[in-house]
Coordinates of all heavy atoms in Angstrom, one line a residue:
M601 N 121.7 104.1 96.5 CA 121.7 102.8 95.8 C 121.5 103.0 94.3 O 120.5 103.7 93.9 CB 120.7 101.9 96.3 CG 120.6 100.6 95.7 SD 119.5 99.5 96.6 CE 120.1 99.7 98.2
P602 N 122.4 102.6 93.4 CA 122.2 102.8 92.0 C 121.0 102.1 91.5 O 120.7 101.0 91.8 CB 123.5 102.3 91.4 CG 124.0 101.3 92.3 CD 123.5 101.7 93.7
F603 N 120.2 102.8 90.7 CA 119.1 102.2 90.0 C 119.5 101.7 88.6 O 119.9 102.4 87.8 CB 117.9 103.2 89.9 CG 116.7 102.7 89.2 CD1 115.8 102.0 90.0 CD2 116.5 102.9 87.9 CE1 114.6 101.5 89.4 CE2 115.3 102.3 87.3 CZ 114.4 101.7 88.0
V604 N 119.3 100.4 88.5 CA 119.7 99.8 87.2 C 118.5 99.3 86.5 O 117.8 98.4 86.9 CB 120.7 98.6 87.3 CG1 121.1 98.1 86.0 CG2 121.9 99.0 88.2
A605 N 118.1 100.0 85.4 CA 116.9 99.7 84.7 C 117.2 98.6 83.7 O 118.2 98.6 83.0 CB 116.3 100.9 84.0
R606 N 116.3 97.7 83.6 CA 116.4 96.6 82.6 C 115.3 96.9 81.5 O 114.2 96.5 81.7 CB 116.2 95.3 83.2 CG 116.4 94.2 82.2 CD 116.5 92.8 82.9 NE 115.4 92.5 83.7 CZ 115.2 91.4 84.4 NH1 116.1 90.5 84.3 NH2 114.2 91.2 85.1
Q607 N 115.7 97.5 80.5 CA 114.7 98.0 79.5 C 114.7 97.3 78.2 O 114.1 97.7 77.2 CB 114.8 99.5 79.3 CG 114.4 100.4 80.5 CD 113.0 100.3 80.8 OE1 112.2 99.8 80.1 NE2 112.6 100.7 82.0
E608 N 115.5 96.2 78.1 CA 115.5 95.5 76.8 C 114.5 94.3 76.9 O 114.2 93.8 78.0 CB 116.9 95.0 76.4 CG 117.5 94.0 77.4 CD 118.2 94.7 78.6 OE1 118.0 95.9 78.8 OE2 119.0 94.0 79.2
P609 N 113.9 93.9 75.8 CA 113.0 92.7 75.8 C 113.7 91.5 76.3 O 114.9 91.4 76.1 CB 112.5 92.6 74.4 CG 112.9 93.8 73.7 CD 114.1 94.4 74.4
F610 N 113.1 90.6 77.0 CA 113.7 89.3 77.4 C 112.7 88.2 77.3 O 111.5 88.5 77.3 CB 114.3 89.5 78.8 CG 113.3 89.7 79.9 CD1 112.7 88.7 80.6 CD2 112.9 91.0 80.1 CE1 111.8 88.9 81.6 CE2 111.9 91.3 81.1 CZ 111.4 90.2 81.9
A611 N 113.2 87.0 77.2 CA 112.3 85.8 77.2 C 112.1 85.4 78.6 O 113.0 85.2 79.4 CB 112.9 84.7 76.3
C612 N 110.8 85.2 79.0 CA 110.5 84.7 80.3 C 111.1 83.3 80.5 O 110.9 82.4 79.6 CB 109.0 84.7 80.5 SG 108.5 83.9 82.0
E613 N 111.7 83.1 81.6 CA 112.3 81.7 81.9 C 111.3 80.7 82.4 O 111.6 79.6 82.5 CB 113.5 81.9 82.9 CG 114.7 82.6 82.2 CD 115.8 82.7 83.2 OE1 116.0 81.8 84.0 OE2 116.5 83.7 83.1
H614 N 110.1 81.2 82.6 CA 109.1 80.2 83.1 C 108.2 79.8 81.9 O 108.0 78.6 81.6 CB 108.2 80.8 84.2 CG 107.2 79.9 84.7 ND1 105.8 80.1 84.5 CD2 107.3 78.7 85.4 CE1 105.2 79.0 85.0 NE2 106.0 78.2 85.5
C615 N 107.6 80.8 81.2 CA 106.6 80.4 80.2 C 107.2 80.6 78.8 O 106.6 80.1 77.8 CB 105.3 81.3 80.3 SG 105.6 83.0 79.9
G616 N 108.4 81.2 78.7 CA 109.1 81.3 77.4 C 108.6 82.4 76.5 O 109.1 82.6 75.4
K617 N 107.6 83.1 76.9 CA 107.1 84.2 76.1 C 108.0 85.4 76.1 O 108.7 85.7 77.1 CB 105.7 84.6 76.5 CG 104.6 83.6 76.2 CD 103.3 84.1 76.5 CE 102.2 83.0 76.2 NZ 101.1 83.1 77.0
Q618 N 108.0 86.2 75.0 CA 108.8 87.4 75.0 C 108.1 88.5 75.8 O 106.9 88.7 75.8 CB 108.8 87.9 73.5 CG 109.9 88.9 73.2 CD 111.3 88.3 73.2 OE1 111.5 87.1 73.4 NE2 112.3 89.2 73.1
V619 N 108.9 89.1 76.6 CA 108.5 90.2 77.5 C 109.0 91.5 77.1 O 110.2 91.7 77.0 CB 108.9 89.9 79.0 CG1 108.4 91.0 79.9 CG2 108.3 88.6 79.4
M620 N 108.1 92.4 76.7 CA 108.6 93.7 76.2 C 108.7 94.7 77.4 O 108.0 94.6 78.4 CB 107.5 94.3 75.2 CG 107.3 93.4 74.0 SD 108.8 93.0 73.1 CE 109.2 94.6 72.3
P621 N 109.7 95.7 77.3 CA 109.8 96.6 78.4 C 108.6 97.5 78.5 O 107.9 97.8 77.6 CB 111.1 97.4 77.9 CG 111.2 97.2 76.5 CD 110.6 95.9 76.2
L622 N 108.4 98.0 79.7 CA 107.4 99.0 80.0 C 107.9 100.3 79.5 O 109.1 100.6 79.3 CB 107.1 99.1 81.5 CG 106.3 97.9 82.1 CD1 106.4 98.0 83.6 CD2 104.9 98.0 81.7
P623 N 106.9 101.3 79.3 CA 107.3 102.6 78.9 C 108.3 103.2 79.9 O 108.4 102.8 81.1 CB 106.0 103.4 78.9 CG 104.9 102.4 78.8 CD 105.5 101.1 79.4
R624 N 109.0 104.2 79.5 CA 110.0 104.9 80.3 C 109.6 105.1 81.7 O 108.5 105.6 81.9 CB 110.5 106.2 79.6 CG 111.8 106.1 78.9 CD 111.9 107.3 78.0 NE 112.0 108.6 78.8 CZ 113.1 109.1 79.3 NH1 114.2 108.5 79.1 NH2 113.1 110.2 80.0
G625 N 110.5 104.9 82.6 CA 110.2 105.2 84.0 C 109.6 104.1 84.8 O 109.5 104.2 86.0
S626 N 109.2 103.0 84.2 CA 108.6 101.9 84.9 C 109.6 100.8 84.9 O 110.2 100.5 83.8 CB 107.3 101.5 84.3 OG 106.4 102.5 84.3
Y627 N 109.7 100.1 86.0 CA 110.6 99.0 86.0 C 109.8 97.7 86.1 O 109.0 97.5 86.9 CB 111.5 99.1 87.3 CG 112.3 97.9 87.6 CD1 113.5 97.7 86.8 CD2 112.0 97.0 88.5 CE1 114.2 96.5 87.0 CE2 112.8 95.8 88.7 CZ 113.9 95.6 87.9 OH 114.7 94.5 88.1
R628 N 110.1 96.8 85.1 CA 109.4 95.6 85.1 C 110.2 94.5 85.7 O 111.4 94.2 85.3 CB 109.1 95.2 83.6 CG 108.1 94.0 83.6 CD 108.0 93.3 82.3 NE 107.5 94.1 81.2 CZ 106.2 94.3 81.0 NH1 105.3 93.9 81.9 NH2 105.7 95.0 80.0
N629 N 109.7 93.8 86.7 CA 110.5 92.7 87.3 C 109.8 91.4 87.3 O 110.2 90.5 87.9 CB 110.8 93.1 88.8 CG 109.6 93.3 89.6 OD1 108.5 93.0 89.2 ND2 109.7 93.7 90.9
H630 N 108.7 91.3 86.5 CA 108.1 90.0 86.4 C 107.4 89.9 85.1 O 107.2 90.9 84.4 CB 107.1 89.7 87.5 CG 106.0 90.8 87.6 ND1 106.1 91.9 88.4 CD2 104.8 90.9 87.0 CE1 105.0 92.6 88.2 NE2 104.2 92.0 87.4
C631 N 107.1 88.6 84.7 CA 106.5 88.4 83.4 C 105.0 88.7 83.4 O 104.3 88.3 84.3 CB 106.7 86.9 83.0 SG 105.8 86.4 81.6
P632 N 104.5 89.5 82.4 CA 103.1 89.9 82.5 C 102.2 88.7 82.1 O 101.0 88.8 82.3 CB 103.0 91.0 81.4 CG 104.1 90.8 80.5 CD 105.2 90.2 81.3
H633 N 102.7 87.7 81.5 CA 101.9 86.6 81.0 C 101.6 85.6 82.1 O 100.5 85.1 82.3 CB 102.6 85.9 79.8 CG 103.0 86.8 78.7 ND1 102.1 87.5 77.9 CD2 104.2 87.2 78.3 CE1 102.7 88.3 77.1 NE2 104.0 88.1 77.3
C634 N 102.7 85.2 82.8 CA 102.5 84.1 83.8 C 102.8 84.7 85.2 O 102.6 84.0 86.2 CB 103.4 82.9 83.6 SG 105.2 83.3 83.7
L635 N 103.3 85.9 85.3 CA 103.6 86.6 86.6 C 104.8 86.1 87.3 O 105.1 86.6 88.4 CB 102.3 86.7 87.5 CG 101.0 87.2 86.9 CD1 99.9 87.1 88.0 CD2 101.2 88.5 86.4
W636 N 105.5 85.2 86.8 CA 106.7 84.7 87.4 C 107.8 85.8 87.3 O 107.9 86.5 86.4 CB 107.2 83.4 86.8 CG 106.5 82.2 87.3 CD1 105.1 82.0 87.1 CD2 107.0 81.0 88.0 NE1 104.8 80.8 87.7 CE2 105.9 80.2 88.2 CE3 108.3 80.7 88.4 CZ2 106.1 78.9 88.9 CZ3 108.4 79.5 89.1 CH2 107.3 78.6 89.3
S637 N 108.6 85.8 88.4 CA 109.7 86.7 88.4 C 111.0 86.0 88.6 O 111.0 84.7 88.5 CB 109.5 87.6 89.6 OG 110.4 88.7 89.7
K638 N 112.1 86.7 88.7 CA 113.4 86.1 88.9 C 114.1 86.8 90.0 O 114.1 88.0 90.1 CB 114.2 86.2 87.6 CG 115.4 85.2 87.6 CD 116.1 85.3 86.2 CE 117.4 84.4 86.3 NZ 118.3 84.6 85.2
H639 N 114.8 85.9 90.8 CA 115.5 86.5 92.0 C 116.8 87.1 91.6 O 117.8 86.5 91.7 CB 115.7 85.4 93.0 CG 116.1 85.9 94.4 ND1 116.4 85.1 95.4 CD2 116.3 87.2 94.8 CE1 116.8 85.8 96.5 NE2 116.8 87.1 96.1
V640 N 116.7 88.4 91.2 CA 117.9 89.1 90.8 C 118.2 90.3 91.7 O 119.3 90.8 91.8 CB 117.8 89.6 89.3 CG1 117.9 88.5 88.3 CG2 116.6 90.5 89.1
D641 N 117.2 90.7 92.4 CA 117.3 91.9 93.3 C 117.5 91.4 94.8 O 116.8 90.5 95.2 CB 116.1 92.8 93.2 CG 115.9 93.4 91.9 OD1 116.9 93.5 91.1 OD2 114.8 93.7 91.5
E642 N 118.4 92.0 95.5 CA 118.6 91.7 96.8 C 118.0 92.7 97.8 O 117.1 92.4 98.5 CB 120.1 91.5 97.1 CG 120.5 90.8 98.4 CD 119.8 89.4 98.5 OE1 119.9 88.6 97.5 OE2 119.1 89.1 99.5
A643 N 118.5 93.9 97.8 CA 118.0 94.9 98.8 C 116.8 95.7 98.3 O 116.0 96.1 99.0 CB 119.1 95.8 99.2
G644 N 116.7 95.9 97.0 CA 115.7 96.7 96.5 C 115.5 96.5 95.0 O 116.3 95.9 94.3
P645 N 114.4 97.0 94.4 CA 114.0 96.8 93.0 C 115.1 97.3 92.1 O 115.5 98.5 92.2 CB 112.7 97.5 92.8 CG 112.3 98.1 94.1 CD 113.4 97.9 95.1
G646 N 115.6 96.5 91.2 CA 116.6 96.9 90.2 C 118.0 96.9 90.6 O 118.9 97.2 89.8
D647 N 118.3 96.5 91.8 CA 119.8 96.5 92.2 C 120.5 95.3 91.6 O 121.7 95.4 91.4 CB 120.0 96.6 93.7 CG 119.6 95.4 94.5 OD1 119.3 94.3 93.8 OD2 119.5 95.4 95.7
R648 N 119.8 94.3 91.2 CA 120.4 93.1 90.6 C 121.6 92.5 91.4 O 122.5 92.0 90.8 CB 120.8 93.3 89.2 CG 119.6 93.8 88.3 CD 119.9 93.9 86.9 NE 119.8 92.6 86.2 CZ 120.0 92.5 84.9 NH1 120.3 93.5 84.1 NH2 119.8 91.3 84.4
A649 N 121.5 92.7 92.7 CA 122.7 92.3 93.5 C 122.6 90.8 94.0 O 123.5 90.3 94.6 CB 122.8 93.2 94.7
S650 N 121.5 90.2 93.7 CA 121.3 88.8 94.2 C 122.2 87.8 93.4 O 122.3 87.9 92.2 CB 119.9 88.4 94.1 OG 119.7 87.0 94.5
L651 N 122.8 86.9 94.1 CA 123.5 85.8 93.5 C 122.6 84.6 93.3 O 123.1 83.6 92.7 CB 124.7 85.4 94.3 CG 125.7 86.6 94.6 CD1 126.8 86.1 95.6 CD2 126.3 87.1 93.3
C652 N 121.4 84.6 93.7 CA 120.5 83.5 93.7 C 120.1 83.1 92.3 O 120.3 82.0 91.8 CB 119.3 83.7 94.6 SG 118.1 82.4 94.6
K653 N 119.5 84.1 91.6 CA 119.0 83.9 90.2 C 117.9 82.8 90.1 O 117.7 82.3 89.0 CB 120.1 83.6 89.2 CG 121.3 84.6 89.3 CD 120.9 85.9 88.7 CE 122.1 86.8 88.4 NZ 122.7 87.3 89.6
G654 N 117.3 82.5 91.2 CA 116.2 81.5 91.1 C 114.9 82.1 90.6 O 114.7 83.3 90.6
L655 N 114.0 81.2 90.0 CA 112.8 81.8 89.6 C 111.9 82.0 90.8 O 112.0 81.3 91.8 CB 112.1 80.8 88.6 CG 112.7 80.7 87.2 CD1 112.0 79.6 86.4 CD2 112.7 82.0 86.5
M656 N 111.0 83.0 90.7 CA 110.2 83.4 91.8 C 108.7 83.1 91.4 O 108.2 83.7 90.4 CB 110.4 84.8 92.2 CG 111.8 85.0 92.7 SD 112.1 86.6 93.5 CE 111.4 86.4 95.1
E657 N 108.0 82.3 92.2 CA 106.7 81.9 91.8 C 105.7 82.9 92.5 O 105.8 83.3 93.6 CB 106.4 80.5 92.4 CG 105.0 80.0 92.1 CD 104.9 78.6 92.6 OE1 105.6 78.1 93.5 OE2 103.9 77.9 92.1
P658 N 104.6 83.3 91.7 CA 103.6 84.2 92.3 C 102.8 83.4 93.3 O 102.3 82.3 93.0 CB 102.8 84.6 91.1 CG 103.0 83.6 90.0 CD 104.4 83.0 90.3
Q659 N 102.8 83.8 94.6 CA 102.1 83.1 95.6 C 100.7 83.6 95.9 O 99.8 82.9 96.2 CB 102.9 83.3 96.9 CG 104.3 82.7 96.9 CD 104.2 81.2 97.0 OE1 103.5 80.6 97.9 NE2 104.7 80.5 96.0
A660 N 100.6 84.9 95.9 CA 99.3 85.5 96.2 C 99.3 87.0 95.7 O 100.3 87.5 95.3 CB 99.2 85.5 97.8
I661 N 98.1 87.5 95.7 CA 97.9 88.9 95.3 C 97.2 89.6 96.4 O 96.3 89.1 97.1 CB 96.9 88.9 94.0 CG1 97.4 88.0 92.9 CG2 96.8 90.3 93.5 CD1 98.6 88.4 92.2
D662 N 97.7 90.8 96.6 CA 97.2 91.7 97.6 C 96.7 93.0 97.0 O 97.3 93.4 96.0 CB 98.3 92.0 98.6 CG 98.0 91.5 100.0 OD1 97.0 90.7 100.1 OD2 98.8 91.7 100.9
Q663 N 95.8 93.6 97.6 CA 95.4 95.0 97.1 C 95.8 96.0 98.2 O 95.2 95.9 99.3 CB 94.0 95.1 96.7 CG 93.7 96.2 95.8 CD 92.3 96.2 95.2 OE1 91.4 95.5 95.7 NE2 92.1 96.9 94.1
E664 N 96.7 96.8 97.9 CA 97.1 97.9 98.9 C 96.5 99.2 98.5 O 96.5 99.5 97.3 CB 98.6 98.0 99.0 CG 99.3 96.8 99.6 CD 100.8 97.0 99.8 OE1 101.2 98.1 99.5 OE2 101.4 96.0 100.2
S665 N 96.0 99.9 99.5 CA 95.3 101.2 99.1 C 96.2 102.2 98.4 O 95.8 102.9 97.5 CB 94.7 101.8 100.4 OG 95.7 101.9 101.4
S666 N 97.5 102.2 98.8 CA 98.4 103.1 98.2 C 99.0 102.7 96.9 O 99.2 103.5 96.0 CB 99.6 103.4 99.2 OG 100.2 102.2 99.5
K667 N 99.2 101.4 96.7 CA 99.9 100.9 95.5 C 99.0 100.2 94.5 O 99.4 100.0 93.3 CB 100.9 99.8 95.9 CG 102.1 100.4 96.6 CD 103.1 99.3 96.9 CE 104.3 99.7 97.6 NZ 105.1 98.5 98.1
G668 N 97.8 99.8 94.9 CA 97.0 99.0 94.0 C 97.3 97.5 94.2 O 97.7 97.0 95.3
W669 N 97.3 96.7 93.1 CA 97.6 95.3 93.1 C 99.1 95.1 93.4 O 99.9 95.7 92.8 CB 97.2 94.6 91.8 CG 95.7 94.6 91.6 CD1 95.0 95.4 90.7 CD2 94.8 93.8 92.3 NE1 93.7 95.1 90.8 CE2 93.5 94.1 91.8 CE3 94.9 92.8 93.3 CZ2 92.3 93.5 92.2 CZ3 93.7 92.2 93.7 CH2 92.5 92.5 93.2
V670 N 99.3 94.2 94.3 CA 100.7 93.8 94.7 C 100.8 92.3 94.6 O 99.9 91.5 95.1 CB 101.0 94.2 96.1 CG1 102.4 93.7 96.6 CG2 101.0 95.8 96.2
I671 N 101.8 91.8 93.9 CA 102.0 90.4 93.7 C 103.1 89.9 94.7 O 104.1 90.5 94.8 CB 102.5 90.0 92.3 CG1 101.5 90.5 91.3 CG2 102.7 88.5 92.1 CD1 102.0 90.5 89.8
I672 N 102.8 88.9 95.5 CA 103.8 88.3 96.4 C 104.5 87.1 95.7 O 103.8 86.2 95.4 CB 103.1 87.9 97.7 CG1 102.5 89.2 98.4 CG2 104.1 87.2 98.6 CD1 101.1 89.0 99.0
H673 N 105.8 87.3 95.5 CA 106.5 86.3 94.9 C 107.4 85.5 95.9 O 107.8 86.1 96.9 CB 107.5 86.9 93.9 CG 106.9 87.4 92.6 ND1 106.7 88.7 92.3 CD2 106.4 86.7 91.6 CE1 106.2 88.8 91.1 NE2 105.9 87.6 90.7
R674 N 107.6 84.2 95.7 CA 108.5 83.5 96.6 C 109.5 82.7 95.7 O 109.1 82.0 94.7 CB 107.8 82.5 97.5 CG 108.8 81.9 98.5 CD 108.1 81.3 99.7 NE 107.4 80.1 99.2 CZ 106.5 79.4 100.0 NH1 106.3 79.8 101.2 NH2 105.9 78.4 99.5
C675 N 110.8 82.9 96.0 CA 111.8 82.3 95.2 C 111.8 80.7 95.4 O 111.7 80.3 96.6 CB 113.2 82.8 95.7 SG 114.6 82.1 94.8
I676 N 111.8 80.0 94.3 CA 111.7 78.5 94.5 C 113.0 77.9 94.9 O 113.1 76.8 95.3 CB 111.2 77.8 93.2 CG1 112.2 78.1 92.0 CG2 109.8 78.3 92.8 CD1 111.8 77.4 90.7
V677 N 114.1 78.7 94.9 CA 115.4 78.2 95.3 C 115.7 78.5 96.8 O 115.9 77.6 97.6 CB 116.6 78.8 94.5 CG1 117.9 78.4 94.9 CG2 116.3 78.4 93.0
C678 N 115.6 79.8 97.2 CA 116.0 80.2 98.6 C 114.8 80.6 99.4 O 114.9 80.9 100.6 CB 117.0 81.3 98.5 SG 116.3 82.9 98.0
R679 N 113.6 80.5 98.9 CA 112.3 80.8 99.6 C 112.2 82.3 100.0 O 111.3 82.6 100.8 CB 112.1 79.9 100.8 CG 112.5 78.5 100.7 CD 111.8 77.8 99.5 NE 110.4 77.4 99.8 CZ 109.6 76.9 98.9 NH1 110.0 76.8 97.6 NH2 108.4 76.6 99.2
K680 N 113.0 83.2 99.5 CA 112.8 84.6 99.8 C 111.5 85.1 99.3 O 111.2 84.8 98.1 CB 114.0 85.4 99.3 CG 113.9 86.9 99.5 CD 115.0 87.6 98.8 CE 114.8 89.1 98.6 NZ 115.2 89.9 99.8
E681 N 110.8 85.9 100.0 CA 109.6 86.5 99.6 C 109.8 87.9 99.2 O 110.5 88.6 99.9 CB 108.5 86.3 100.6 CG 107.9 84.9 100.7 CD 106.6 84.9 101.4 OE1 106.0 85.9 101.7 OE2 106.2 83.7 101.7
S682 N 109.1 88.4 98.2 CA 109.1 89.8 97.9 C 107.8 90.3 97.4 O 107.0 89.5 96.8 CB 110.2 90.2 96.9 OG 109.9 89.6 95.7
R683 N 107.4 91.5 97.6 CA 106.2 92.1 97.2 C 106.5 93.0 96.0 O 107.3 93.9 96.1 CB 105.5 92.9 98.3 CG 105.2 92.0 99.5 CD 104.8 92.9 100.7 NE 103.5 93.5 100.4 CZ 102.3 92.9 100.7 NH1 102.3 91.7 101.2 NH2 101.2 93.5 100.5
N684 N 105.7 92.8 94.9 CA 106.0 93.6 93.7 C 104.7 94.2 93.2 O 103.7 93.5 93.0 CB 106.6 92.7 92.6 CG 108.0 92.2 93.0 OD1 108.9 93.0 93.1 ND2 108.1 91.0 93.3
K685 N 104.7 95.5 92.9 CA 103.6 96.1 92.3 C 103.2 95.5 91.0 O 104.1 95.3 90.2 CB 103.9 97.6 92.2 CG 102.7 98.5 92.0 CD 103.3 100.0 91.9 CE 102.2 101.0 91.6 NZ 101.4 100.6 90.4
A686 N 102.0 95.3 90.7 CA 101.6 94.7 89.4 C 101.7 95.8 88.4 O 101.5 97.0 88.6 CB 100.1 94.3 89.5
A687 N 102.1 95.4 87.2 CA 102.3 96.3 86.1 C 100.9 96.5 85.4 O 100.1 95.6 85.4 CB 103.3 95.8 85.1
P688 N 100.8 97.6 84.7 CA 99.5 97.9 84.0 C 99.1 96.9 83.0 O 97.9 96.7 82.7 CB 99.7 99.3 83.4 CG 101.0 99.8 83.8 CD 101.7 98.7 84.6
D689 N 100.1 96.2 82.4 CA 99.7 95.3 81.3 C 99.8 93.8 81.8 O 99.9 92.9 81.0 CB 100.6 95.5 80.1 CG 102.0 95.3 80.4 OD1 102.4 95.2 81.5 OD2 102.8 95.3 79.4
D690 N 99.9 93.6 83.1 CA 99.8 92.2 83.6 C 98.5 91.5 83.2 O 97.5 92.2 83.1 CB 100.0 92.2 85.1 CG 101.4 92.4 85.6 OD1 102.3 92.4 84.8 OD2 101.6 92.6 86.8
D691 N 98.6 90.3 82.9 CA 97.5 89.5 82.5 C 96.5 89.3 83.7 O 96.8 88.7 84.7 CB 98.0 88.1 82.1 CG 96.8 87.2 81.5 OD1 95.7 87.4 81.9 OD2 97.1 86.4 80.7
M692 N 95.3 90.0 83.6 CA 94.4 89.9 84.8 C 93.9 88.5 85.0 O 93.5 88.2 86.2 CB 93.3 90.9 84.5 CG 93.7 92.4 84.6 SD 94.7 92.8 86.1 CE 93.5 92.8 87.4
D693 N 93.8 87.7 84.0 CA 93.4 86.3 84.2 C 94.4 85.6 85.1 O 94.1 84.9 86.1 CB 93.3 85.5 82.9 CG 92.0 85.9 82.2 OD1 91.1 86.5 82.8 OD2 91.9 85.6 81.0
A694 N 95.7 85.8 84.8 CA 96.8 85.2 85.6 C 96.7 85.8 87.1 O 96.9 85.0 88.0 CB 98.1 85.5 85.0
I695 N 96.4 87.1 87.2 CA 96.3 87.6 88.5 C 95.1 87.0 89.3 O 95.3 86.7 90.5 CB 96.1 89.2 88.4 CG1 97.4 89.8 88.0 CG2 95.6 89.8 89.7 CD1 97.4 91.3 88.0
S696 N 94.0 86.8 88.7 CA 92.9 86.3 89.4 C 93.1 84.8 89.7 O 92.7 84.3 90.8 CB 91.6 86.5 88.7 OG 91.6 85.9 87.4
K697 N 93.9 84.1 88.9 CA 94.2 82.7 89.2 C 95.1 82.7 90.4 O 95.0 81.9 91.3 CB 94.9 82.0 88.0 CG 93.9 81.3 87.1 CD 94.7 80.6 86.0 CE 94.1 80.8 84.6 NZ 95.0 80.9 83.5
A698 N 96.1 83.6 90.4 CA 97.1 83.6 91.5 C 96.4 84.0 92.8 O 96.7 83.5 93.8 CB 98.2 84.5 91.2
S699 N 95.4 84.9 92.7 CA 94.8 85.3 93.9 C 93.9 84.3 94.5 O 93.5 84.4 95.6 CB 94.0 86.6 93.7 OG 93.0 86.4 92.7
S700 N 93.5 83.3 93.7 CA 92.7 82.2 94.2 C 93.5 81.1 94.8 O 92.9 80.1 95.4 CB 91.7 81.7 93.1 OG 92.5 81.0 92.1
I701 N 94.8 81.2 94.8 CA 95.6 80.1 95.4 C 95.5 80.1 96.9 O 95.4 79.1 97.5 CB 97.1 80.4 95.0 CG1 97.4 80.2 93.5 CG2 98.1 79.5 95.8 CD1 98.8 80.7 93.1
H702 N 95.4 81.3 97.4 CA 95.3 81.3 98.9 C 93.9 81.5 99.5 O 93.0 81.5 98.7 CB 96.3 82.4 99.4 CG 95.8 83.8 99.1 ND1 95.9 84.9 100.0 CD2 95.2 84.4 98.0 CE1 95.4 86.0 99.4 NE2 95.0 85.7 98.3
Ligands
ZN1860 ZN1 106.2 84.1 81.8
ZN1861 ZN1 116.4 83.1 95.7

């Protein structure tokens, strides 16, 4: 499966803040400010094969021994859930707010 990196800055469609790319080698798939993501991937991270393009709301936070913090997103359009590793510069306040949802 081809890996398509999205390394240019973009404006978050949920909070409107500018999102800068992570350093080389890391794939950012959610906003570090509000943790919302976008349903662009279908089968795996970075494939951008989804036709949905719905916004994905952070539902819960999990801590996995192998990956560290994992954000569970759910698409507000098609309800698809996905698990995404938290980025090093994610807003920890937003993470703790999201983890208190459940
Ligand atoms: Zn945002
Ligand atoms: Zn969707």
Side-chain angles (χ1 to χ4, degrees):
M601 179 170 310
F603 179 84
V604 184
R606 183 168 55 176
Q607 290 295 347
E608 63 275 15
F610 63 96
C612 172
E613 289 181 33
H614 181 250
C615 70
K617 286 185 181 150
Q618 194 75 2
V619 179
M620 301 307 284
L622 283 168
R624 256 165 65 86
S626 302
Y627 173 73
R628 190 196 292 285
N629 62 7
H630 58 269
C631 172
H633 307 293
C634 66
L635 307 182
W636 280 60
S637 186
K638 195 178 177 190
H639 190 183
V640 291
D641 297 333
E642 196 52 50
D647 69 10
R648 302 186 82 176
S650 174
L651 301 174
C652 176
K653 308 288 195 286
L655 288 178
M656 299 188 78
E657 184 178 17
Q659 293 288 306
I661 307 291
D662 244 6
Q663 201 171 17
E664 291 185 5
S665 52
S666 56
K667 290 183 180 170
W669 292 105
V670 173
I671 303 167
I672 295 136
H673 285 110
R674 188 164 66 188
C675 179
I676 60 176
V677 176
C678 71
R679 320 304 282 172
K680 179 187 161 85
E681 285 195 10
S682 66
R683 300 171 69 86
N684 295 291
K685 195 175 176 307
D689 62 349
D690 281 350
D691 185 332
M692 289 313 286
D693 283 346
I695 286 184
S696 57
K697 265 182 230 149
S699 62
S700 64
I701 294 170
H702 69 141

